[in-house]
Amino acid sequence: MFDVIVAGGGAAGFYSAIQMAEHNPNLKIAILERGKTVLSKVKISGGGRCNVTQAKFFAQELVEGYPRGRKELLGPFHAHAPGDVMAFFEERGVPLKIEEDGRIFPKSDSSQSIIDCFLKEIENHGIQLLKNSSIQDFKKLENGHWQVTTRNTDYEARILLLATGSNTRIWSQLQNMGHSIVSPVPSLFTFNINDDRIKGIPGISIDATVEIPPKKIFSSNISVELKSAPKQHPVLESEGPVLITHWGLSGPAILKLSAWGARILEDYKYNFRITVNWTPEYSTASMEGFLREVKEVEAKKTVSRTQAISIPKRLWIRLVSAAGISKELRWGEVNKEQLKNLSEQLTACSFKVEGKSTFKEEFVTAGGVDLKEINFKTFESKLFPNLFFAGEIINVDGITGGYNFQNAWTGAYLAAKEIASRNLLQPDR
């Protein structure tokens, strides 16, 4: 028998349990973790450094990083924001740093600092950690308590907090109980592209704008032109660093696009075209005009060796070749069609995407408990009293850069604060 059972030994689970114990030291709390290890996502995040949160200290600015949950998180972020998260860790001996792009990491550059902090805190507060405790079932008892059944044991608690991430078994159980679950689809992924223009030149990163135009999909053998339904399938756009990889395109601009377009791209079955402007300061027309000037000034020089635009040399050579311009052709010999082709390669470079790859090992899901069924002042279920949620189990997901952890910290804090304020102490203690 516990006052509170926290299901899930990840970021949201640990943070909520510690916050509960801080607010009400007398609570008997257990964390149930289905695996042998805890905090596995914390360990791998940020390339093993743990991207704790994002340096967006105003709620109105912070919510812009959430394709789903933006409106609902505005109030919670006023209550518990990145500054509060930074204070939590630094007060417990984990100094943090803000990098140029706004991502916040431990100064140690090691996620182990965060893990060690959590493990020390639950030990200090007497929070029980029960590993290898995969939840098979949970239900409300006649006395109002929750019964949680694991592979080995039945537990009872007055309050249940689910921080189980994208666990399909838990979602199915909630759905059977009457909660609405928004079907999960992947978010934060990179694009698989097999194209000679970027093959063999991995590691190049360049600021660019990227766009996925609407495409036709087929439903019941009827072609649907998505442009006729802009509210459902708008043009997807993003800007920022684009990274050429061994398998295609990645980088912040691509990841943001995958997050904002998670459901649309799932509709496309991850087969679509993407247009990249490698030189965002130019349109195709203005680029063509600029290249005509280059042709006049550099008439005797070869096009491939004369880098007219500030982009990586290896990429320039590939795009020149794709425009139908041979290695030895001089600027003065380039015809009008070739100039037009090169302008398009630089500003409207179209690629065919065939599939996706998970971004490193940081899998994020769009989907989960329907937000209409959650009280965002407390993160309590509107359907079942004393059932709370935190983290990725709800239909909230953020772009890369610490946003998903911030959602976890904020939900966990507000749930913990509410739980700790209730008169839960067991009468036999």
Side-chain angles (χ1 to χ4, degrees):
M1 177 69 190
F2 294 95
D3 292 310
V4 188
I5 285 177
V6 176
F14 270 77
Y15 200 75
S16 64
I18 294 164
Q19 294 284 1
M20 278 179 229
E22 288 279 327
H23 283 86
N24 190 340
N26 295 313
L27 291 178
K28 186 178 181 183
I29 305 167
I31 299 173
L32 303 186
E33 165 55 40
R34 63 178 174 175
K36 298 178 182 178
T37 59
V38 293
L39 300 162
S40 56
K41 208 163 189 178
V42 170
K43 188 172 184 63
I44 64 174
S45 82
R49 295 196 295 150
C50 187
N51 185 182
V52 175
T53 185
Q54 169 66 219
K56 297 282 194 303
F57 298 108
F58 296 100
Q60 290 86 349
E61 188 179 11
L62 182 61
V63 294
E64 294 303 315
Y66 295 87
R68 284 148 290 275
R70 178 169 35 172
K71 179 182 69 174
E72 290 82 1
L73 289 176
L74 184 60
F77 284 156
H78 280 293
H80 198 72
D84 301 301
V85 173
M86 292 184 73
F88 172 88
F89 287 110
E90 292 187 329
E91 287 167 6
R92 289 160 179 78
V94 184
L96 304 176
K97 61 179 179 177
I98 302 174
E99 300 198 340
E100 285 186 12
D101 60 2
R103 293 183 300 165
I104 297 174
F105 293 92
K107 285 186 177 178
S108 65
D109 279 329
S110 172
S111 58
Q112 195 62 43
S113 299
I114 303 297
I115 294 170
D116 291 343
C117 171
F118 278 149
L119 293 174
K120 180 181 177 182
E121 286 296 309
I122 66 165
E123 183 179 356
N124 289 344
H125 289 294
I127 297 166
Q128 292 193 45
L129 175 59
L130 304 170
K131 300 177 185 176
N132 295 309
S133 297
S134 177
I135 295 175
Q136 307 298 304
D137 189 23
F138 55 93
K139 62 183 178 182
K140 202 79 177 279
L141 300 175
E142 289 184 3
N143 62 5
H145 295 178
W146 288 94
Q147 179 178 293
V148 180
T149 301
T150 69
R151 285 180 292 190
N152 307 312
T153 313
D154 283 348
Y155 298 98
E156 189 173 327
R158 298 171 187 266
I159 284 188
L160 175 60
L161 188 151
L162 296 176
T164 47
S166 51
N167 184 316
T168 54
R169 182 198 292 270
I170 300 298
W171 277 334
S172 294
Q173 175 68 14
L174 286 168
Q175 198 164 29
N176 291 338
M177 291 166 55
H179 260 294
S180 301
I181 303 298
V182 178
S183 60
V185 298
S187 181
L188 288 189
F189 48 85
T190 62
F191 297 165
N192 296 345
I193 298 171
N194 183 13
D195 192 292
D196 288 339
R197 288 169 292 179
I198 57 173
K199 190 179 293 183
I201 54 171
I204 288 177
S205 181
I206 180 172
D207 283 335
T209 58
V210 288
E211 178 182 296
I212 299 174
K215 63 169 282 188
K216 290 182 179 180
I217 58 173
F218 294 87
S219 177
S220 301
N221 298 319
I222 299 174
S223 174
V224 180
E225 176 57 60
L226 297 182
K227 287 182 179 178
S228 65
K231 290 183 180 179
Q232 295 179 5
H233 291 83
V235 173
L236 297 172
E237 298 174 295
S238 180
E239 60 182 27
V242 172
L243 174 67
I244 297 174
T245 69
H246 290 286
W247 59 89
L249 294 179
S250 182
I254 299 297
L255 295 170
K256 281 191 288 186
L257 205 59
S258 74
W260 287 103
R263 296 207 167 272
I264 296 173
L265 301 183
E266 197 270 342
D267 278 349
Y268 295 164
K269 305 304 178 190
Y270 309 105
N271 283 271
F272 53 90
R273 296 203 74 86
I274 182 173
T275 303
V276 182
N277 184 345
W278 304 106
T279 58
E281 65 272 25
Y282 289 94
S283 65
T284 302
S286 63
M287 176 61 74
E288 193 171 351
F290 172 73
L291 293 181
R292 281 198 296 269
E293 294 177 12
V294 174
K295 177 179 178 177
E296 295 296 325
V297 175
E298 307 286 1
K300 295 183 180 180
K301 295 183 179 179
T302 57
V303 178
S304 61
R305 296 193 189 96
T306 308
Q307 197 171 339
I309 299 293
S310 181
I311 63 172
K313 183 71 174 178
R314 289 184 297 164
L315 179 59
W316 168 260
I317 291 172
R318 294 296 183 87
L319 298 180
V320 167
S321 176
I325 300 172
S326 65
K327 286 184 178 181
E328 302 305 320
L329 197 67
R330 302 177 190 274
W331 278 104
E333 301 167 333
V334 174
N335 60 38
K336 185 177 179 180
E337 184 179 354
Q338 289 169 323
L339 274 185
K340 182 181 178 183
N341 290 344
L342 182 54
S343 302
E344 290 177 350
Q345 291 295 331
L346 291 165
T347 62
C349 195
S350 180
F351 294 99
K352 185 179 181 182
V353 176
E354 297 178 290
K356 59 178 174 54
S357 295
T358 302
F359 174 53
K360 298 182 180 177
E361 295 171 276
E362 301 176 54
F363 187 81
V364 173
T365 299
V369 179
D370 194 311
L371 304 186
K372 295 191 295 293
E373 299 173 356
I374 301 167
N375 177 352
F376 276 89
K377 292 182 179 179
T378 62
F379 281 74
E380 185 174 16
S381 165
K382 290 181 179 179
L383 278 60
F384 299 97
N386 293 331
L387 176 64
F388 291 78
F389 305 107
E392 201 181 331
I393 188 173
I394 66 177
N395 184 28
V396 168
D397 61 288
I399 60 175
T400 184
Y403 291 93
N404 287 292
F405 274 141
Q406 184 59 50
N407 167 53
W409 311 136
T410 295
Y413 171 82
L414 289 175
K417 185 179 177 183
E418 174 64 21
I419 291 167
S421 72
R422 297 185 179 180
N423 186 17
L424 298 173
L425 298 183
Q426 299 175 43
D428 57 336
R429 296 218 318 275

